[in-house]
Every structure is written in C-alpha cells, then in structure tokens.
Amino acid sequence: MGWAFLASAKKKSTNRHNLALTVLGAPTQRGAQQASTQEAYDLFGSNYYNPNVGYQNGKLRNSRVRNTHEPIIMLNYDWQITENTRMRAATSVRLGYNGYSALTWADGPDPRPDYYRYLPSYYGDRLNDMESINNVIELYNLPHDKYTQETLNTYAEKRDEVLANWGGRIDFDDLINNNRAGGSIDEKYSTDKHRSNSMIEERHTDQIDYNLAVSIDHMFKNGSKIIGGIKARVNRTEYYDKVKDLLGGDYWLDVDKFAMRDFGSNDIAYQNDLDYYYKHGQPRLAKEGDKFGYDYYAHVRQGQAWVLYNLAAGGFSMNVGGEVGFSSMWRQGLWRKGLFPTDSYGDSEHLKYFTYRAKLGLRYQFSGAHALEVNALAMQNAPHFRDAFLSARTRNQVTPNLKPEKTYGVDLTYELKLPWIKARLSGYYTRINDQSKVISFYDDLQSSYTNFAMDGIDKRYMGVELGLTMPLGAGISLNGAISVGDYRYMSNPQFTQVVDNSASIEVVSKVNWKNYYIESTPQKAFNVGLSYRGPHNWFASVDFNYYMDTYLSMNPMYRTQYLADKLTSIYVEAQGYSNFDEMWGPQKQEILTKVAKIKAEERLKNAYTLSLSVGKNWYIKYKYMLGFSFDVKNLLNNRTFRTGGYEQMRLSKFYGPNVVASETGNPKIVKYMNYTKFDSKYFYLYGTTYYLNVYFRF
C-alpha cells in the first residue's frame, strides 16, 4: 500500500535568476518476501511460499512489513551570469522514518515454520545415517548398540510426524496464548504483568540527510566547455529497534539474551541500557512503541570539489575530469551497554578518508556511420558505515584493517549507424580492490552470535556487450543484446571473527575466495525482441530474455581455512588418529570430499522470460497528451526461475555414531560431532504479472 505526493513552485525573473522549491514523498507500507529452502517450497506446494506469514484470528498476517516515509524538500537556484556562463545550486534535506518489522523471540527455537528443526529433512538425514550404521552392523554381525536402534526408531517416527503435520504457517494465535499464559509472569522484577516471549519488532534506520551542490559552467569561444563545482553531504542516521506488537503480552524484557545465557549471574553484563538499569534498578520493561535493544547514531560527513573539461574538434572529442574530497564517519552510542560500559556510549573514533576520482573519455567519429570511444576511470571511496564497525549495535569497536575502496576501469566501444542496422559493441574491464564487509550471525563452532569482518576483498569484472537494432519495415524493428562476462573474486580476504559478547578476537584466518564467481548477477545474458511503432501513436514490443551462469550468494565462513582445519580435526579425532597425516588413503579422501562439498559454489539453473508491452498516445490541442501502456511480464508463466538467494550462515551439527573401517578392514563404531551445510535459501520470479499505466501530461 502506498501513495505519493509532489508539490513544486517556481519563480522566474527577467534578470536571469530562477528559483524553484519542490516537496515530494511516497509513504509506503508493504509486506516483504522471505527466501526459504527448496524443501519448504516443495512441502508447501508453491515456490512463492513466505515463512513470514501466518494466521491470526483466522486472517493471514505478514510479520515482515517495510514501513517508510522519507520526504524530500529541495531548493534549486539557476543564474545565467552571462551568455556563456551559468551557475546552478541545489540544496535538499531528506528526513522521516524507515522501519522494517520482523518476528523475534527471547527463549526457545525460531518460531518460523521453515526453521530446520521443524522440517522432515532434519530427522530424515539422521535416519539415513542411522540406517547406514545398522546396515554395517548387520553385515558384520556386530552387537546392536541400544542407543543406535532407539534413535533409529525415534527419528523415523519424528520424520513421519513432521511430514504429516507441517502446515508452513506461523501460528500467531499460539504465540499470543503463550504470552498471555501464567508461566510468562516474571516474578524477578516484581510485576504481575505477562512477559512476551515472542513479539514483532520494528528495526529503524531513520535519517536526516542534507545535501548541497553548486556548479558553474563556462563555454569558451572555441566551443570547449569547463564545468566545476562543490558537493557536500551531512547525514545522521538513527539505528534503533522498537516494539511493534507484543502479541498478547504486557511487556518485553529489554536484555541481551545471549549475554544473559553466558553471564546469567551478572545482572550488569546483560543490560542493553545500563544507565536505565542504574536509575530504575531493573531492565526496561518495553511496551509497544518503546525503543529496546540498541540505539545509536551513524554520522557521515562528505565533501568534494570537482572539475570537468569537454573539447570537440572535427571528429574528435574529449572529456577529462577530476574530483578530490574527504569523508568522515563515526558512531555515537545513545545507550551504555552492560558488556561494554566504556566503549558503547558516546562518540567512537572519527574515521577520515581522502577520496578522489579521475576520468578520461576519448571519442573519434570516423564518419556518420562509424565511431570509436574509449573511457578510463580511477577512484577511491571511503568504506561504507555498515562495514566500518565490528558490531555497531553494541559498541564503537572499529573493523580491523579498514581501508578505502579503490576502483579502476576501462572500456572500449565501437558504434555503427547505417540505414539498415545500428549496433554498439563494447568491451570492459573493472577492478575493485580493498573492499570490507561485516556479517553478523550465529556460529555453531563458537556456539555464540558472532561478527565476521573481512578485509582485502578484490573483485574483477570483464566482458563484452553487443546491442543492435535492425528495421524490418512497416514500423517493425528487430532488437537484440548480448552480454558475456567473467566476474570473479581475485583475492583471498583476511577475516577477523569476534564473539558478539566479547571484544576479544577469536579467529584470524583466510577466506579462500580467489577465482570464485561473484554472486547474484548472471555472467551471461541474451535478449532478442521485436518493437513496433505504428500510425496514430500506437507502439508495442515483445522481448525474450535468457540468463546463464548466475551463482548463489556465498557464505564466506564455508570457504575459510579455519573451517577446513576445524572439520579435518573433528574427523581425524573421531577416527582415532592424532593428525591428518597418520590416516590412510580412503579416509583422507573422505575428509577432503566432505570439506570440498561444503566449499563448492552453487550455480543457479539457466532461466528465461518473455515479456509483452502495448500502448498508445493521444495528443490534445498539441499541448496535452493522454496515453496508456499495458505490460505483461513473464508471459510464459515460468515459476521455476530462481532470481537469487543465499547460503545460510549456520552449520548444521549432529552428535551421533559413525561406522568407519580401520586399516585392517575391520569395522568399528565411533561417536563424534558431524557438521554439514544448512540448505540454501532461494527467491523465485513471480509468474505472469500485469501492469496498466494511464497518464496525462500537460
């Protein structure tokens, strides 16, 4: 649900000064889709299954809703100083709110129905392991292990029970009843109210963003042109969490649940707002509309000065430009966290970076039909705020080895314009170095919520693109485009892992990403279509698109040397050896195969779409235009097109027996902990969709 507004007023004077004021905004509220595993999609019977959705009082409800309204107020000034010199200035401010709701819980497992322990595969995988063990026991006539046989029966029963009863929807009524139950009364804080164990939160990123841009351009007598200016930006974004719906309870206990688990006897350690605790003698009992969890400002200051010079002489043209600037950012904690009382409140270190940009463009028009163009770019940008701090929700700790991001690129283009064909062929190469990235997730190896910071991420994008148009007659044209690229990671970034409840570094290792494909974009794409421009302003088009070699968004933890070493040591110890080198050939290969399976990159299936568009315009008194366009997307109703997705961050662990062969060939049973990848989650393209747009221009 959404609507938009725009209001503009302009004052135009005779002395070459123009002033315009514009106000615009688009309050929007929409439900969000959540990726899920293929198992959940298949169980539900649709690739559009959404695990955020459930029933409350017999009506469907989505727990994930994005609610935004960020209006912009903009003032533009235009001054024609002389016939050849002009100044433009624009200033704007954006403000408002941006909230994103989600289901959260204090104790117990994830209540969403696609949580891995609620799916049949959780028990089926373990059942398969147990059946394999029992087969070997029977084969060698070994004594049955009571634990093994009982577990076999238990897993079979649970798998069948889950398979028969899985509904795929959140039971909001059950969550509400549990929150209202007497067992949720929290006597520790002397209240007769009911504490919500689950509720719907709303994560906010509310910003005030001020921008100023001033430019002056001057045309020289020889036809060359110079443009220069300055830009400035001041941004303050408030990150906080808010209670949206207590789901039948009376309050939410505002504490860090992981810190409470680890430091339960120390009340100070698990306070999210320590100053509130000191003042009131207890944690905040957050009601609907209250902030909880975290509250901090992200401050960003940016300024640039730039110049661009354009020159044309005969068939040759050139543009050369440069920009220098600065960027500063810091975190301002508004709450003092119990775990980090000296490093969570107030200003962090101010991070300052020099930025620059240089570009060169050369073009030569051999004739009206042939042209050649080359462009080159080099720039340095500050890292993003979201990657500058290890755990911005909790403290001011800066990400280790944080560097500015550097980009270098070049492209070469040939243009052909003939009566019977128009074509454009381009080749490009872009290199991005020293990117940083911070991911927060629950790590089963650490048994804790952790922050995973990578630095030194290098990427390379190169490829060729061809676009062409061929008139076929009667207003019909054939259009086509081909993009063939090779996008890869070019380094093995270093990562630093820190447990969220501790500022100490737990692990420093490498992510083995070099030569892996960059995810979430097709390496190859093809388009062919027909367009029609007819009499009386009719127009239509049909387009077929084909996408190849798209890779799933990768979990970097799966590719770390740390994880490979950890898994190897687990398998080695489970089979009774002191180190990997002692093991004999087949057992070594089994370990390497398991590690390689976890590290393997997942490629999505090639996919296609067919789209159709038709429309018409009417001109009224040569001043106004009335028109419509009708678009049909995915005309063939392809519902198996995976548009993207991601590997889950967690590892699935299982404690159980395993049958292995010794060097003599005799089987033996050992008990050990096994780790495997969680199933990946996917997004699917919607089936056939229709859009009708009616417009009136004046």
Side-chain angles (χ1 to χ4, degrees):
M1 180 180 68
W3 59 281
F5 62 88
L6 184 148
S8 182
K10 184 176 182 179
K11 178 172 177 55
K12 187 174 183 179
S13 63
T14 57
N15 59 354
R16 300 182 175 182
H17 296 274
N18 295 312
L19 191 66
L21 176 66
T22 303
V23 180
L24 58 94
T28 304
Q29 182 173 294
R30 62 178 179 85
Q33 174 68 32
Q34 173 79 16
S36 194
T37 62
Q38 191 59 51
E39 180 185 10
Y41 288 130
D42 292 341
L43 284 171
F44 194 75
S46 170
N47 286 338
Y48 307 124
Y49 166 64
N50 189 347
N52 300 318
V53 174
Y55 284 99
Q56 182 174 338
N57 293 327
K59 296 181 179 179
L60 285 176
R61 177 182 185 179
N62 192 343
S63 61
R64 289 216 171 192
V65 176
R66 185 172 290 281
N67 190 13
T68 63
H69 183 204
E70 296 182 305
I72 299 173
I73 304 171
M74 182 167 51
L75 185 66
N76 293 81
Y77 173 63
D78 192 327
W79 178 21
Q80 188 72 48
I81 302 173
T82 68
E83 184 179 350
N84 295 323
T85 306
R86 188 172 194 169
M87 185 186 82
R88 294 180 176 89
T91 183
S92 67
V93 61
R94 181 177 62 177
L95 64 167
Y97 58 85
N98 187 336
Y100 190 38
S101 67
L103 187 65
T104 189
W105 57 97
D107 300 310
D110 189 335
R112 290 172 296 187
D114 66 340
Y115 180 56
Y116 76 106
R117 288 178 178 267
Y118 302 150
L119 297 174
S121 62
Y122 174 73
Y123 302 98
D125 291 344
R126 284 141 185 81
L127 179 61
N128 292 336
D129 289 340
M130 294 299 170
E131 288 177 339
S132 298
I133 293 168
N134 271 13
N135 289 338
V136 175
I137 289 174
E138 294 288 347
L139 178 65
Y140 289 92
N141 196 25
L142 297 174
H144 276 275
D145 185 283
K146 181 180 178 182
Y147 167 79
T148 302
Q149 188 59 49
E150 286 185 354
T151 307
L152 179 68
N153 297 335
T154 301
Y155 285 145
E157 292 172 1
K158 291 292 291 184
R159 181 201 58 185
D160 295 342
E161 179 184 348
V162 171
L163 190 59
N165 298 321
W166 192 83
R169 296 299 193 194
I170 299 173
D171 190 344
F172 286 105
D173 292 329
D174 185 60
L175 297 179
I176 290 171
N177 291 334
N178 288 337
N179 287 339
R180 289 173 175 169
S184 65
I185 296 177
D186 199 329
E187 299 177 354
K188 182 175 181 179
Y189 301 107
S190 302
T191 175
D192 58 354
K193 302 295 184 181
H194 298 280
R195 171 186 172 184
S196 288
N197 184 59
S198 56
M199 61 103 166
I200 295 178
E201 62 183 340
E202 189 172 64
R203 305 161 189 163
H204 274 257
T205 54
D206 299 348
Q207 60 180 312
I208 299 175
D209 189 65
Y210 173 74
N211 288 270
L212 172 67
V214 180
S215 67
I216 297 178
D217 62 79
H218 178 76
M219 182 75 73
F220 294 100
K221 292 182 179 180
N222 63 358
S224 63
K225 186 177 183 180
I226 189 169
I227 310 170
I230 59 171
K231 297 183 291 184
R233 180 186 181 219
V234 178
N235 179 281
R236 192 201 73 183
T237 302
E238 184 178 7
Y239 291 81
Y240 64 93
D241 216 343
K242 186 174 76 172
V243 178
K244 183 176 181 179
D245 187 346
L246 286 168
L247 297 178
D250 297 305
Y251 70 94
W252 178 264
L253 186 64
D254 186 16
V255 295
D256 184 327
K257 65 180 181 181
F258 291 108
M260 178 179 278
R261 180 200 66 183
D262 297 338
F263 310 101
S265 61
N266 182 358
D267 286 3
I268 299 298
Y270 54 78
Q271 300 305 318
N272 284 325
D273 187 349
L274 188 58
D275 293 328
Y276 182 96
Y277 176 81
Y278 284 146
K279 182 177 180 180
H280 299 89
Q282 66 178 41
R284 179 183 291 103
L285 307 184
K287 308 295 179 58
E288 291 179 2
D290 289 349
K291 295 179 181 179
F292 80 99
Y294 58 90
D295 191 7
Y296 66 93
Y297 288 142
H299 294 278
V300 176
R301 304 284 187 269
Q302 295 174 337
Q304 296 91 26
W306 59 275
V307 63
L308 177 67
Y309 179 70
N310 295 318
L311 172 67
F316 174 78
S317 62
M318 176 188 73
N319 65 78
V320 58
E323 175 187 284
V324 293
F326 77 93
S327 181
S328 174
M329 68 182 80
W330 70 96
R331 176 189 183 274
Q332 180 188 353
L334 303 179
W335 289 358
R336 194 184 313 275
K337 190 170 177 65
L339 280 173
F340 311 102
T342 61
D343 194 34
S344 53
Y345 182 78
D347 287 0
S348 70
E349 173 189 353
H350 286 225
L351 305 175
K352 300 177 181 178
Y353 297 94
F354 170 71
T355 63
Y356 65 81
R357 179 175 300 189
K359 61 177 293 187
L360 173 66
L362 302 173
R363 180 182 175 88
Y364 189 74
Q365 190 79 38
F366 294 92
S367 66
H370 305 277
L372 196 64
E373 182 178 332
V374 62
N375 294 283
L377 171 71
M379 63 182 180
Q380 176 172 287
N381 293 322
H384 296 289
F385 180 90
R386 65 177 180 266
D387 301 316
F389 296 90
L390 269 177
S391 179
R393 294 176 299 102
T394 63
R395 57 190 182 275
N396 292 331
Q397 188 176 4
V398 176
T399 301
N401 305 317
L402 196 64
K403 297 177 182 177
E405 178 183 306
K406 304 171 185 66
T407 302
Y408 310 96
V410 63
D411 66 77
L412 178 65
T413 300
Y414 168 70
E415 288 186 7
L416 175 66
K417 292 183 180 180
L418 294 172
W420 56 275
I421 187 173
K422 294 180 181 179
R424 182 182 178 93
L425 176 65
S426 299
Y428 59 90
Y429 181 94
T430 301
R431 181 72 180 251
I432 303 174
N433 293 339
D434 293 326
Q435 283 189 326
S436 298
K437 187 174 185 177
V438 175
I439 305 172
S440 298
F441 64 98
Y442 188 88
D443 182 8
D444 293 271
L445 296 177
Q446 300 286 347
S447 296
S448 185
Y449 198 75
T450 64
N451 305 293
F452 189 100
M454 290 187 290
D455 63 89
I457 303 172
D458 299 341
K459 299 177 180 177
R460 184 208 64 198
Y461 298 82
M462 69 178 186
V464 293
E465 295 178 344
L466 172 65
L468 58 86
T469 300
M470 297 177 61
L472 302 179
I476 301 174
S477 296
L478 173 67
N479 308 304
I482 299 173
S483 176
V484 178
D486 188 83
Y487 316 143
R488 296 179 187 250
Y489 288 97
M490 300 305 294
S491 66
N492 290 326
Q494 178 172 287
F495 82 89
T496 304
Q497 188 176 26
V498 176
V499 173
D500 207 37
N501 288 339
S502 170
S504 61
I505 295 174
E506 298 293 330
V507 180
V508 177
S509 186
K510 290 286 185 181
V511 180
N512 296 314
W513 261 4
K514 190 171 183 178
N515 290 324
Y516 276 66
Y517 289 102
I518 294 173
E519 62 272 30
S520 302
T521 183
Q523 306 272 326
K524 303 177 183 69
F526 307 92
N527 164 267
V528 61
L530 294 172
S531 62
Y532 170 73
R533 290 283 176 178
H536 309 296
N537 299 311
W538 280 97
F539 55 89
S541 65
V542 59
D543 289 278
F544 178 81
N545 299 287
Y546 192 77
Y547 306 96
M548 297 176 62
D549 299 339
T550 302
Y551 291 84
L552 203 67
S553 182
M554 292 187 294
N555 173 353
M557 171 61 87
Y558 291 169
R559 282 92 191 168
T560 60
Q561 192 59 46
Y562 159 70
L563 178 60
D565 293 342
K566 187 78 171 179
L567 295 178
T568 301
S569 66
I570 289 172
Y571 295 135
V572 168
E573 182 179 351
Q575 301 188 58
Y577 293 93
S578 60
N579 58 64
F580 183 72
D581 293 333
E582 287 185 0
M583 302 184 70
W584 61 301
Q587 292 175 315
K588 284 186 178 182
Q589 188 57 48
E590 180 187 1
I591 294 173
L592 295 175
T593 300
K594 289 181 178 179
V595 172
K597 188 175 180 180
I598 289 179
K599 291 170 59 178
E601 190 172 11
E602 183 175 350
R603 184 169 71 92
L604 301 180
K605 292 181 179 179
N606 300 339
Y608 60 87
T609 62
L610 184 67
S611 301
L612 175 69
S613 177
V614 62
K616 178 178 169 54
N617 297 322
W618 292 270
Y619 289 95
I620 304 172
K621 295 184 178 180
Y622 302 101
K623 290 178 62 177
Y624 311 107
M625 185 173 69
L626 174 67
F628 81 92
S629 63
F630 179 67
D631 298 303
V632 183
K633 304 296 184 183
N634 195 6
L635 185 63
L636 300 178
N637 200 27
N638 181 2
R639 295 171 178 260
T640 62
F641 182 176
R642 289 177 175 171
T643 58
Y646 56 89
E647 295 176 332
Q648 297 193 67
M649 296 302 301
R650 295 189 62 181
L651 283 164
S652 178
K653 63 182 178 181
F654 165 57
Y655 296 89
N658 187 29
V659 177
V660 298
S662 68
E663 192 168 0
T664 62
N666 296 322
K668 60 180 179 179
I669 300 177
V670 296
K671 184 178 178 181
Y672 78 111
M673 181 170 58
N674 188 17
Y675 285 93
T676 59
K677 293 171 67 170
F678 268 53
D679 288 344
S680 299
K681 292 193 173 185
Y682 307 100
F683 291 104
Y684 280 89
L685 181 71
Y686 284 117
T688 304
T689 53
Y690 309 89
Y691 303 87
L692 176 63
N693 182 32
V694 179
Y695 48 87
F696 179 71
R697 296 174 184 170
F698 57 92

